[in-house]
Amino acid sequence: MDRLEEIFKMQFELNKRIGVDTSAMSDEEKIKWLLNYSRAIAQENSELVDSVPWKWWAKYQKFDAQNAKVEIIDILHFLVSAAQVIGMTAEDFYQAYAKKNLINHNRQDSGYVEKNEDDCRSV
């Protein structure tokens, strides 16, 4: 089992332990949990921001690299959970990432001077 598959398996088991079974959700439940996970990602991102001395006027702040690592992993927990809600496997996740990464490189190669709404339809 590769590492990404292992992460997806561990997250599925943790979610089931918490009482969230992403394997058989109705559309209504999917919407509820996508919103829950999206909000959780946003909150964890705020906590990540707080790990960095972003207040340019405050001299007391310190960079907390250890906490930043924890918040990044918390974001990954919720991101994988959201992917599982919409039925993505580790392989689906990897393939979508690889396709979108190629699109991003192509955008950089072309100067990304205009938005093409169709370039992500293959993801």
Short mmCIF file of all heavy atoms in Angstrom, two decimals, residues 10-52:
data_model
loop_
_atom_site.label_atom_id
_atom_site.label_comp_id
_atom_site.label_asym_id
_atom_site.label_seq_id
_atom_site.Cartn_x
_atom_site.Cartn_y
_atom_site.Cartn_z
N MET A 10 -6.49 5.33 6.78
CA MET A 10 -6.49 5.78 8.18
C MET A 10 -7.58 6.82 8.43
O MET A 10 -8.26 6.79 9.46
CB MET A 10 -5.12 6.36 8.57
CG MET A 10 -4.04 5.31 8.69
SD MET A 10 -2.47 5.93 9.36
CE MET A 10 -2.00 7.17 8.17
N GLN A 11 -7.78 7.73 7.48
CA GLN A 11 -8.79 8.76 7.66
C GLN A 11 -10.19 8.18 7.63
O GLN A 11 -11.06 8.57 8.41
CB GLN A 11 -8.65 9.87 6.61
CG GLN A 11 -9.51 11.08 6.90
CD GLN A 11 -9.15 11.70 8.24
OE1 GLN A 11 -7.99 11.85 8.59
NE2 GLN A 11 -10.16 12.09 9.02
N PHE A 12 -10.42 7.20 6.74
CA PHE A 12 -11.72 6.54 6.68
C PHE A 12 -12.03 5.87 8.02
O PHE A 12 -13.14 6.01 8.55
CB PHE A 12 -11.75 5.52 5.54
CG PHE A 12 -13.08 4.85 5.38
CD1 PHE A 12 -14.12 5.50 4.74
CD2 PHE A 12 -13.30 3.58 5.88
CE1 PHE A 12 -15.37 4.89 4.60
CE2 PHE A 12 -14.52 2.96 5.75
CZ PHE A 12 -15.57 3.61 5.11
N GLU A 13 -11.04 5.18 8.59
CA GLU A 13 -11.23 4.50 9.87
C GLU A 13 -11.48 5.50 11.00
O GLU A 13 -12.32 5.28 11.86
CB GLU A 13 -10.04 3.61 10.18
CG GLU A 13 -9.90 2.42 9.25
CD GLU A 13 -11.13 1.52 9.22
OE1 GLU A 13 -11.74 1.29 10.29
OE2 GLU A 13 -11.49 1.05 8.12
N LEU A 14 -10.74 6.61 11.01
CA LEU A 14 -10.95 7.63 12.04
C LEU A 14 -12.35 8.23 11.92
O LEU A 14 -13.06 8.38 12.92
CB LEU A 14 -9.90 8.74 11.93
CG LEU A 14 -10.04 9.89 12.92
CD1 LEU A 14 -9.97 9.41 14.38
CD2 LEU A 14 -8.99 10.95 12.65
N ASN A 15 -12.77 8.54 10.70
CA ASN A 15 -14.11 9.11 10.51
C ASN A 15 -15.19 8.14 10.98
O ASN A 15 -16.16 8.55 11.63
CB ASN A 15 -14.33 9.50 9.05
CG ASN A 15 -13.57 10.75 8.68
OD1 ASN A 15 -13.17 11.54 9.53
ND2 ASN A 15 -13.34 10.95 7.40
N LYS A 16 -15.03 6.86 10.65
CA LYS A 16 -16.01 5.86 11.11
C LYS A 16 -16.04 5.81 12.64
O LYS A 16 -17.12 5.71 13.23
CB LYS A 16 -15.69 4.48 10.54
CG LYS A 16 -16.21 4.31 9.12
CD LYS A 16 -15.90 2.94 8.54
CE LYS A 16 -16.47 1.84 9.38
NZ LYS A 16 -16.27 0.50 8.79
N ARG A 17 -14.87 5.89 13.26
CA ARG A 17 -14.81 5.86 14.72
C ARG A 17 -15.54 7.05 15.32
O ARG A 17 -16.17 6.95 16.38
CB ARG A 17 -13.35 5.84 15.17
CG ARG A 17 -13.18 5.71 16.63
CD ARG A 17 -11.75 5.53 17.02
NE ARG A 17 -11.68 5.35 18.46
CZ ARG A 17 -10.59 5.31 19.15
NH1 ARG A 17 -9.42 5.40 18.54
NH2 ARG A 17 -10.61 5.14 20.44
N ILE A 18 -15.44 8.20 14.65
CA ILE A 18 -16.11 9.42 15.10
C ILE A 18 -17.62 9.35 14.83
O ILE A 18 -18.40 10.06 15.44
CB ILE A 18 -15.48 10.65 14.41
CG1 ILE A 18 -14.03 10.83 14.88
CG2 ILE A 18 -16.28 11.92 14.63
CD1 ILE A 18 -13.23 11.83 14.07
N GLY A 19 -18.03 8.47 13.90
CA GLY A 19 -19.44 8.32 13.57
C GLY A 19 -19.82 8.87 12.21
O GLY A 19 -20.99 9.08 11.92
N VAL A 20 -18.82 9.09 11.36
CA VAL A 20 -19.07 9.60 10.01
C VAL A 20 -18.63 8.54 9.01
O VAL A 20 -17.45 8.28 8.85
CB VAL A 20 -18.30 10.92 9.75
CG1 VAL A 20 -18.60 11.43 8.35
CG2 VAL A 20 -18.65 11.97 10.79
N ASP A 21 -19.61 7.92 8.35
CA ASP A 21 -19.32 6.89 7.35
C ASP A 21 -19.53 7.50 5.97
O ASP A 21 -20.66 7.70 5.53
CB ASP A 21 -20.22 5.68 7.55
CG ASP A 21 -19.90 4.53 6.62
OD1 ASP A 21 -19.04 4.70 5.72
OD2 ASP A 21 -20.49 3.46 6.78
N THR A 22 -18.44 7.81 5.31
CA THR A 22 -18.52 8.48 4.01
C THR A 22 -18.87 7.53 2.87
O THR A 22 -19.08 7.96 1.75
CB THR A 22 -17.19 9.19 3.68
OG1 THR A 22 -16.14 8.22 3.68
CG2 THR A 22 -16.89 10.29 4.67
N SER A 23 -18.96 6.23 3.16
CA SER A 23 -19.16 5.25 2.08
C SER A 23 -20.59 5.19 1.55
O SER A 23 -20.81 4.71 0.45
CB SER A 23 -18.73 3.86 2.54
OG SER A 23 -19.55 3.39 3.59
N ALA A 24 -21.55 5.66 2.30
CA ALA A 24 -22.95 5.53 1.87
C ALA A 24 -23.77 6.75 2.24
O ALA A 24 -24.84 6.63 2.83
CB ALA A 24 -23.57 4.27 2.47
N MET A 25 -23.30 7.92 1.86
CA MET A 25 -24.01 9.16 2.22
C MET A 25 -25.01 9.54 1.14
O MET A 25 -24.75 9.37 -0.05
CB MET A 25 -23.02 10.31 2.38
CG MET A 25 -22.15 10.23 3.58
SD MET A 25 -21.11 11.72 3.71
CE MET A 25 -20.57 11.59 5.39
N SER A 26 -26.13 10.09 1.58
CA SER A 26 -27.09 10.69 0.65
C SER A 26 -26.50 12.01 0.15
O SER A 26 -25.54 12.53 0.73
CB SER A 26 -28.42 10.95 1.36
OG SER A 26 -28.26 11.96 2.35
N ASP A 27 -27.10 12.57 -0.89
CA ASP A 27 -26.63 13.87 -1.37
C ASP A 27 -26.75 14.93 -0.28
O ASP A 27 -25.87 15.79 -0.14
CB ASP A 27 -27.41 14.31 -2.62
CG ASP A 27 -26.95 13.57 -3.87
OD1 ASP A 27 -25.90 12.89 -3.83
OD2 ASP A 27 -27.65 13.69 -4.89
N GLU A 28 -27.81 14.87 0.51
CA GLU A 28 -28.00 15.83 1.61
C GLU A 28 -26.88 15.71 2.63
O GLU A 28 -26.33 16.71 3.10
CB GLU A 28 -29.36 15.59 2.27
CG GLU A 28 -29.70 16.61 3.35
CD GLU A 28 -31.10 16.39 3.89
OE1 GLU A 28 -32.06 16.62 3.14
OE2 GLU A 28 -31.20 16.01 5.08
N GLU A 29 -26.50 14.47 2.98
CA GLU A 29 -25.40 14.26 3.93
C GLU A 29 -24.06 14.71 3.33
O GLU A 29 -23.23 15.29 4.03
CB GLU A 29 -25.31 12.78 4.31
CG GLU A 29 -26.45 12.31 5.19
CD GLU A 29 -26.41 10.81 5.40
OE1 GLU A 29 -26.27 10.06 4.40
OE2 GLU A 29 -26.52 10.39 6.55
N LYS A 30 -23.88 14.47 2.03
CA LYS A 30 -22.64 14.91 1.38
C LYS A 30 -22.50 16.43 1.47
O LYS A 30 -21.42 16.94 1.77
CB LYS A 30 -22.60 14.45 -0.08
CG LYS A 30 -22.38 12.98 -0.24
CD LYS A 30 -22.40 12.59 -1.71
CE LYS A 30 -22.25 11.08 -1.85
NZ LYS A 30 -22.28 10.66 -3.25
N ILE A 31 -23.59 17.13 1.20
CA ILE A 31 -23.56 18.59 1.28
C ILE A 31 -23.22 19.03 2.69
O ILE A 31 -22.36 19.88 2.91
CB ILE A 31 -24.92 19.18 0.81
CG1 ILE A 31 -25.09 18.97 -0.69
CG2 ILE A 31 -25.03 20.66 1.18
CD1 ILE A 31 -26.50 19.21 -1.19
N LYS A 32 -23.89 18.43 3.68
CA LYS A 32 -23.64 18.76 5.08
C LYS A 32 -22.16 18.56 5.43
O LYS A 32 -21.53 19.44 6.03
CB LYS A 32 -24.52 17.89 5.98
CG LYS A 32 -24.18 18.00 7.46
CD LYS A 32 -24.96 16.96 8.26
CE LYS A 32 -24.41 16.88 9.67
NZ LYS A 32 -25.11 15.85 10.47
N TRP A 33 -21.60 17.41 5.06
CA TRP A 33 -20.23 17.10 5.45
C TRP A 33 -19.20 17.86 4.64
O TRP A 33 -18.14 18.22 5.16
CB TRP A 33 -20.00 15.59 5.47
CG TRP A 33 -20.63 15.04 6.71
CD1 TRP A 33 -21.82 14.37 6.81
CD2 TRP A 33 -20.15 15.19 8.03
NE1 TRP A 33 -22.10 14.10 8.12
CE2 TRP A 33 -21.08 14.59 8.90
CE3 TRP A 33 -19.02 15.78 8.59
CZ2 TRP A 33 -20.92 14.55 10.28
CZ3 TRP A 33 -18.84 15.74 9.97
CH2 TRP A 33 -19.79 15.14 10.79
N LEU A 34 -19.50 18.15 3.38
CA LEU A 34 -18.57 19.01 2.62
C LEU A 34 -18.50 20.39 3.25
O LEU A 34 -17.41 20.97 3.36
CB LEU A 34 -19.00 19.11 1.15
CG LEU A 34 -18.57 17.96 0.27
CD1 LEU A 34 -19.18 18.11 -1.13
CD2 LEU A 34 -17.06 17.89 0.16
N LEU A 35 -19.63 20.90 3.67
CA LEU A 35 -19.63 22.20 4.36
C LEU A 35 -18.91 22.11 5.70
O LEU A 35 -18.11 22.98 6.04
CB LEU A 35 -21.07 22.70 4.56
CG LEU A 35 -21.76 23.22 3.30
CD1 LEU A 35 -23.24 23.47 3.57
CD2 LEU A 35 -21.09 24.48 2.80
N ASN A 36 -19.17 21.04 6.46
CA ASN A 36 -18.47 20.87 7.74
C ASN A 36 -16.96 20.82 7.54
O ASN A 36 -16.20 21.49 8.25
CB ASN A 36 -18.93 19.59 8.45
CG ASN A 36 -20.30 19.71 9.07
OD1 ASN A 36 -20.84 20.79 9.23
ND2 ASN A 36 -20.88 18.57 9.42
N TYR A 37 -16.52 20.01 6.59
CA TYR A 37 -15.08 19.86 6.37
C TYR A 37 -14.47 21.14 5.79
O TYR A 37 -13.35 21.50 6.13
CB TYR A 37 -14.78 18.65 5.48
CG TYR A 37 -15.08 17.33 6.17
CD1 TYR A 37 -15.69 16.29 5.49
CD2 TYR A 37 -14.74 17.12 7.50
CE1 TYR A 37 -15.95 15.08 6.11
CE2 TYR A 37 -15.01 15.92 8.14
CZ TYR A 37 -15.61 14.89 7.43
OH TYR A 37 -15.86 13.70 8.06
N SER A 38 -15.21 21.84 4.94
CA SER A 38 -14.71 23.10 4.40
C SER A 38 -14.53 24.13 5.50
O SER A 38 -13.52 24.85 5.54
CB SER A 38 -15.67 23.65 3.34
OG SER A 38 -15.72 22.79 2.22
N ARG A 39 -15.49 24.19 6.41
CA ARG A 39 -15.36 25.11 7.54
C ARG A 39 -14.19 24.72 8.44
O ARG A 39 -13.45 25.58 8.94
CB ARG A 39 -16.66 25.13 8.34
CG ARG A 39 -17.80 25.82 7.61
CD ARG A 39 -19.07 25.79 8.45
NE ARG A 39 -20.18 26.31 7.70
CZ ARG A 39 -21.29 25.61 7.39
NH1 ARG A 39 -21.43 24.36 7.81
NH2 ARG A 39 -22.25 26.17 6.69
N ALA A 40 -14.03 23.42 8.65
CA ALA A 40 -12.92 22.95 9.49
C ALA A 40 -11.58 23.29 8.84
O ALA A 40 -10.64 23.71 9.54
CB ALA A 40 -13.04 21.44 9.72
N ILE A 41 -11.48 23.13 7.53
CA ILE A 41 -10.26 23.49 6.82
C ILE A 41 -9.97 24.97 6.99
O ILE A 41 -8.83 25.37 7.25
CB ILE A 41 -10.35 23.10 5.33
CG1 ILE A 41 -10.31 21.57 5.17
CG2 ILE A 41 -9.23 23.74 4.51
CD1 ILE A 41 -10.71 21.07 3.79
N ALA A 42 -11.00 25.79 6.85
CA ALA A 42 -10.82 27.24 7.00
C ALA A 42 -10.34 27.57 8.41
O ALA A 42 -9.44 28.42 8.59
CB ALA A 42 -12.12 27.98 6.69
N GLN A 43 -10.91 26.92 9.42
CA GLN A 43 -10.50 27.18 10.81
C GLN A 43 -9.06 26.74 11.05
O GLN A 43 -8.28 27.45 11.67
CB GLN A 43 -11.44 26.48 11.78
CG GLN A 43 -11.09 26.73 13.23
CD GLN A 43 -11.12 28.22 13.59
OE1 GLN A 43 -12.00 28.95 13.16
NE2 GLN A 43 -10.16 28.65 14.37
N GLU A 44 -8.72 25.55 10.55
CA GLU A 44 -7.34 25.06 10.71
C GLU A 44 -6.36 25.97 9.97
O GLU A 44 -5.25 26.20 10.44
CB GLU A 44 -7.21 23.62 10.23
CG GLU A 44 -8.03 22.62 11.00
CD GLU A 44 -7.68 22.50 12.47
OE1 GLU A 44 -6.58 22.93 12.89
OE2 GLU A 44 -8.50 21.95 13.23
N ASN A 45 -6.77 26.50 8.84
CA ASN A 45 -5.92 27.43 8.11
C ASN A 45 -5.70 28.71 8.93
O ASN A 45 -4.58 29.25 8.96
CB ASN A 45 -6.50 27.77 6.74
CG ASN A 45 -5.52 28.54 5.91
OD1 ASN A 45 -4.45 28.04 5.56
ND2 ASN A 45 -5.86 29.79 5.60
N SER A 46 -6.74 29.17 9.61
CA SER A 46 -6.59 30.33 10.49
C SER A 46 -5.60 30.03 11.62
O SER A 46 -4.78 30.88 11.98
CB SER A 46 -7.93 30.74 11.10
OG SER A 46 -8.79 31.22 10.10
N GLU A 47 -5.67 28.82 12.13
CA GLU A 47 -4.73 28.42 13.18
C GLU A 47 -3.30 28.33 12.62
O GLU A 47 -2.34 28.67 13.32
CB GLU A 47 -5.18 27.11 13.81
CG GLU A 47 -6.48 27.26 14.59
CD GLU A 47 -7.06 25.96 15.10
OE1 GLU A 47 -6.34 24.95 15.14
OE2 GLU A 47 -8.25 25.96 15.46
N LEU A 48 -3.17 27.91 11.37
CA LEU A 48 -1.86 27.90 10.72
C LEU A 48 -1.32 29.32 10.59
O LEU A 48 -0.15 29.58 10.89
CB LEU A 48 -1.96 27.22 9.35
CG LEU A 48 -0.71 27.23 8.47
CD1 LEU A 48 0.46 26.55 9.17
CD2 LEU A 48 -1.02 26.56 7.14
N VAL A 49 -2.16 30.24 10.18
CA VAL A 49 -1.76 31.64 10.06
C VAL A 49 -1.28 32.17 11.41
O VAL A 49 -0.28 32.90 11.49
CB VAL A 49 -2.91 32.50 9.50
CG1 VAL A 49 -2.61 33.99 9.63
CG2 VAL A 49 -3.18 32.14 8.04
N ASP A 50 -1.96 31.76 12.47
CA ASP A 50 -1.56 32.22 13.81
C ASP A 50 -0.23 31.63 14.26
O ASP A 50 0.34 32.09 15.25
CB ASP A 50 -2.66 31.90 14.83
CG ASP A 50 -3.85 32.83 14.69
OD1 ASP A 50 -3.69 33.92 14.10
OD2 ASP A 50 -4.94 32.47 15.17
N SER A 51 0.28 30.63 13.55
CA SER A 51 1.61 30.06 13.86
C SER A 51 2.73 30.92 13.29
O SER A 51 3.90 30.69 13.59
CB SER A 51 1.73 28.66 13.26
OG SER A 51 0.76 27.80 13.79
N VAL A 52 2.37 31.88 12.48
CA VAL A 52 3.33 32.74 11.79
C VAL A 52 3.18 34.16 12.31
O VAL A 52 2.06 34.64 12.49
CB VAL A 52 3.07 32.71 10.26
CG1 VAL A 52 4.03 33.59 9.52
CG2 VAL A 52 3.14 31.28 9.74
#
